[in-house]
Amino acid sequence: MAWKTLKSDVVFDNPWMRVHDDDVVNPRGGQNRYGWVHFKGRAIAILPIDDDGHTWLVGQHRYTLREYSWELPMGGGGLDEPPLAAAQRELSEETGLVATDWRELMRVTLSNSITDERGIVFVARGLTAGEAQPDDTEQLETRHLPLTEAIDMAMRGEITDILTVAALLRYHAEAHA
């Protein structure tokens, strides 16, 4: 049996997300409340790789975690925006890089027990350096390092962002298959 919504109340709504508080019938037939978040966009991450096998990480303080985070260049893309266009924009904004070769690496769901957020990760190659133009709310640090070092950081728990960890491990697995 699938979940059944009896009643859905919107308890918060802004341009990026909507929070629901629902009365539901769960798959075992019981009734309960279920809070969840609908995202009005998708997460877009980019794994840029240069000819020497190096990548770029972006570091920033994440308000929600109250800690510093190293991660791939990433951002949000509207549901009506082509994912590749969002990836190209985010890579340029956060790192100044422009790529000529793009490949979709993977699609994921993020925290799917409480959100409907989906993410797409691209690999970008054929890179040319430019000037970063981060958003007004971002104070970013970039780090250019060997891809193997980024993978090691993820394996040691120094990178915890799930899009970044999944992308690094997926790319490494594909490269060694």
Side-chain angles (χ1 to χ4, degrees), residues 47 49 103 105 147-148 151-152 155 165-177:
L47 175 58
I49 302 174
R103 175 175 71 89
L105 178 65
L147 182 61
T148 55
I151 292 165
D152 289 345
M155 295 303 291
V165 172
L168 291 170
L169 296 180
R170 168 61 88 52
Y171 186 84
H172 179 74
E174 284 183 3
H176 294 89

Side-chain angles (χ1 to χ4, degrees), residues 70-90:
W70 283 104
E71 53 206 46
L72 292 177
M74 66 178 64
L79 296 176
D80 59 346
E81 180 180 19
L84 179 56
Q88 291 166 333
R89 174 180 41 76
E90 288 296 334

Side-chain angles (χ1 to χ4, degrees), residues 124-144:
R125 292 184 168 276
L127 303 170
T128 303
E131 188 173 332
Q133 306 256 321
D135 292 337
D136 291 343
T137 61
E138 296 174 319
Q139 185 174 3
L140 305 177
E141 179 182 354
T142 57
R143 185 170 172 196
H144 184 225

